[in-house]
Structure formats: C-alpha cells, structure tokens
Amino acid sequence: MFVMQDDGDNKKVKSHSRASSGSREFREATKQDALNNLQKELCKLSEKALPDQRDLVRKEMHGFANLFERFLKEEGPSVEWERIEKLPEDAVRNYKTLETPTTDLIQMMLQKLVVVKLNGGLGTSMGCHGPKSVITVRNDLTFLDLTVQQIEHLNKTYNTNVPLVLMNSFNTDEDTEKIVRKYKNLQIEIYTFNQSCYPRVNRENLLPIAKSYDVDNELEAWYPPGHGDFYKSFQNSGFLSKFIKEGREYCFISNIDNLGATVDLNILNMLLNPKEQTAHEFVMEVTDKTKADVKGGTLIQYENKLRLLEIAQVPSEHVDEFKSVKKFKFFNTNNIWAKLDAIERVLNEDTLNMEIIVNNKTIKHKGNNLNVIQLETAVGAAMKVFNDAIGINVPRSRFLPVKKTSDLLLVMSNLYSLKNGSLVMSPQRMFPTTPLVKLGDNNFSKVKDFLMRFANIPDLIELDHLTVSGDVTFGRSVSLKGTVIIIANHGERIDIPSGACLENKIVSGNLRILDH
C-alpha cells in the first residue's frame, strides 16, 4: 500500500502491504532481477559519460542504485502511527531561552560557519524562466542578491569570511554560474556544486528511460532527487572535506526562497558554546503551526529518536489528526544546522537512510505519454541519524518563503522594510503573524500577470485576510484592512480605484461594496 501526499503532487512515501510467505520468495526473486537489470543499465549510462565526468557519474549512479534497492526491499509503513511517542520536554527548545553572544565571540564563531542555500528549483510555477533564485523580489533585487547582501554585511560587520555555498541542480547550474560572476568584487566567497542527476525510471519495466548520459538533449529522462541529496553531493563535490580541514564546524542549510532564513547568531552560539556541554549535531528550526501550515512536516519522537514526520507518511485515517494544531504544534521551516564532521561520519558509516519519497509522474517522452517514477529524499529526514538532534521553536519571522505570487505580494509590501539584504517586519504591524492572502490562479499566478494587476502594491499594514478572484485590478495607493474579499464574476471586471481604502469589505461582481 502507498500513502498519498495531499499536496497536488503525486508523491508518496514508500511502503508496501505484507505479502503472504508463499508469494514472498517469488517477489524477492523478481526484485533481485529488477535490481540486477537496473544496475546493468546504470553501468552502460556511466560508460557513455564524458571521460572527465565518468568518476562523478559512477558515484551518482551508485547512489541511485542504493536508493532503488531500498525502494524495492523496504516493506511496511515508514512510521507505525501507534508507536509515535510524545515529544520529550527538552526535544524542542524555545528560541527565547537562547543567549546572545558577546561581540568578541562573534567573529570567532562565524569563522566556523558555512552557509548553504538550496538553489535547485526553477521559477516555472510562477511563470518565470530559469532559476527561481533570480526572480526579482524587491527593489529590483533577486533572492540571490538578497542572500549575498546578507552575508557580505556579516563579513564586513565582523571582519570575517563566511562562505556562501549554492547547491544547484542541472536545471539551474549554468544560469547561476553566469549570475554569480557579478558578485566577484564583493567581500564574499561563493562556491557552487550540483546535486545528483538521477535517471527517471519507467514504471512498467523499472528501467531507466535514458539511453545515454546526454542530459541536455534528453532532459525529460533525468531529475534532481530532492534536497535530501545534499549530504552525499556535498561530500562528492569535495567541499565537505575542504571546509572541515579549514576548521569550519557547522553548516546552515535553507531554501533560497525563504527570505527569513538569515544567519542567526544566537543559534550559532548555542551550537558552538553550549552551556550543557552537549554538542548538538543537528538542529531543525520549527515554528508554531497555524491553519496555513497544516500540511508542513512536524517533529515526533519515534524509537527513542527525534525525527521528521511528513504528511506523505501519515495513514489516510490519521491525516486530520496530523493537521491538528493542538496535537502537532510545530512545523519544519527547513532551516537546518548540521555539524560538518557528523555529516562526514554518517556518510562514511553509510547510516543515512532517509525515507524515500516516491514521486509518480507522467511525462512526454519521444512523443508519447510515459509513466515514470522519481525517487527523492528530504534534507530534514536525516535528523534521526545524528546525535543529540533537537528542534528550536523560532519566531515566525524566520519562515518567509515565496512559493506563490500571494507570498510575493507580502514581501513587496510595506509590511517589510529592507535592511542589509534582510526583510524586517514594520513596527507599525500590530500582530506578529502575516496576513493570509489568496489570489486567483487564472489572473495572478504568473509573476508577469500579477505585476500588471497592481499600479503599486497596496498598504497591507492592517490587513488580516485577503481573497481576490477573477479579473481584478488595483489602482495606486490602495489600502486594505481587516478582511477583504474581492470577487469578479465570470465575464465581469472590478477596478479598485486609486486611493481606495477597503476595511472589512466584500466587493462582488456588480461592484457593490458591503460590510463584511
């Protein structure tokens, strides 16, 4: 049986129902055949790589073969619901209890840090070409510009040299390399490496659909296997051993599109100068779950270990329980702090068995629809293999992802000001939470269309909730307060006039404005 992930993607965490003992031997034999056949095909693909690529390609194909073998062999659900234990009191630490380091310590601490940004995603979901990190967010600055500004500011302020490492995918590496050149005169060292490039597998015969290692000309046959691939690819790149030799101790990993994921000196201080003499090898930043975050991964205690539980692992009859804000209070921001020598140890010991996410897709291949399987992993799932892993309950301001244009509306608005590459919530905002914004897909989902809908971004300081649907445009200096719902019916258009102030209003298709 597979457990569905309810997020619009056809993703599942690997699990099977038990087979009867009579059929088990047959199944084991067929699995071994499938593995042998796949390994033969992977060897052929490796040999077809260019000579200077061959060693790396062999390492990647070996990694994929291991993942595929686990996919075939692992049975039963990855988590048995009844065995989930209550979180121990010390499992999640409150950010407010962390001490702020003294200035004389900060420079020494920063010399032991590496900042890693996950930069493998494209901007296609928002109607943009190329890496998502080059979408303009604010003041003509991109995600990457803001990240570089943040770290350069750290380096200048504390006279230090924190390196920025970008994990690209084969989809983003070429464009990113061109863009990175413009930062060469800044006080920041930028390194890039590629995550693995794995072959998509035909769902019918469990063989790779690629016939050669020519990724550029057969793009649909290959995929980047999720950010859980960071650990092995970081080692394969040579950067893991390089930074350990330099005396670096921790890396801070986050998504390039999370504008709240800045270097936090209090967390770094806790890791490098622990009061309780415990060296936490892995820290996951979590924050309080709201109704908007019910699908986000959460922390659980399982088999005496702290681990990440994703909605894809949850049996369908327990999904509502998983979404409960009372039972599971926190969700994973995907801001991760990990000890470099611990990453090296678990890789060398081969104990990094993260849950496999099975992503079923239908793609166009040589003119035909083809059902394929992608095997992926998530970076936070490694938590269970590290010693003294903990969560830290951080302020909501450290989770500011831009996944949709509704998020873009918030970060472009007067809710935030920009300071040294970081977005700071306006002191005029009376609530710590951001407004809940829902914009209609047809007219607002693509960045280009979204920008054409606003003469300039409205005043959102006092906004709680905004829903916009249909053909709606906004004039200049519009102010939105409380709960505002604007719905243009099919075939109708609503133009919110310049200077309008809508507070707790519903604006419907016939332009009547009603109290809400």
Side-chain angles (χ1 to χ4, degrees), residues 118 132 143 255-260 400-403:
L118 305 172
K132 187 174 183 184
F143 290 106
N255 297 336
I256 191 89
D257 65 3
N258 179 5
L259 295 173
L400 196 58
V402 180
K403 303 292 183 191

Side-chain angles (χ1 to χ4, degrees), residues 135-316:
I135 293 175
T136 301
V137 184
R138 191 172 173 125
N139 298 8
D140 292 326
L141 298 171
T142 66
F143 290 106
L144 197 49
D145 292 335
L146 294 175
T147 300
V148 168
Q149 276 193 12
Q150 289 165 19
I151 297 173
E152 194 201 23
H153 175 68
L154 262 187
N155 288 338
K156 282 182 169 175
T157 304
Y158 298 105
N159 190 26
T160 186
N161 184 26
V162 177
L164 171 63
V165 180
L166 302 173
M167 183 172 85
N168 301 326
S169 67
F170 61 83
N171 288 317
T172 63
D173 64 321
E174 197 175 320
D175 288 335
T176 302
E177 288 299 332
K178 290 174 189 167
I179 293 154
V180 162
R181 291 176 201 150
K182 74 177 182 179
Y183 306 123
K184 67 176 185 289
N185 295 323
L186 302 179
Q187 193 177 323
I188 181 172
E189 287 179 11
I190 301 176
Y191 301 89
T192 63
F193 71 96
N194 273 19
Q195 70 177 112
S196 300
C197 177
Y198 281 178
R200 284 177 166 152
V201 168
N202 187 320
R203 205 185 306 170
E204 304 305 317
N205 60 19
L206 296 183
L207 292 174
I209 62 171
K211 296 304 172 208
S212 69
Y213 194 80
D214 185 0
V215 178
D216 289 341
N217 289 319
E218 214 179 350
L219 266 179
E220 75 281 1
W222 301 88
Y223 74 99
H227 42 57
D229 181 61
F230 160 74
Y231 306 101
K232 195 68 189 171
S233 292
F234 194 41
Q235 185 182 49
N236 287 345
S237 71
F239 289 140
L240 178 60
S241 59
K242 166 189 161 63
F243 290 127
I244 290 172
K245 282 173 189 162
E246 287 179 6
R248 307 272 174 188
E249 291 186 29
Y250 279 90
C251 61
F252 171 50
I253 310 159
S254 61
N255 297 336
I256 191 89
D257 65 3
N258 179 5
L259 295 173
T262 56
V263 171
D264 188 280
L265 296 174
N266 295 5
I267 296 175
L268 187 60
N269 183 47
M270 182 203 75
L271 293 170
L272 292 172
N273 306 301
K275 289 285 176 280
E276 66 278 9
Q277 301 306 308
T278 301
H280 299 292
E281 292 184 347
F282 191 100
V283 167
M284 177 183 288
E285 292 186 35
V286 296
T287 194
D288 292 342
K289 197 196 288 193
T290 69
K291 292 280 193 293
D293 316 306
V294 292
K295 292 179 183 176
T298 192
L299 280 182
I300 58 168
Q301 183 83 351
Y302 194 83
E303 296 175 339
N304 295 318
K305 280 276 194 178
L306 203 57
R307 65 194 276 184
L308 176 65
L309 176 68
E310 299 275 16
I311 195 168
Q313 295 165 266
V314 178
S316 54

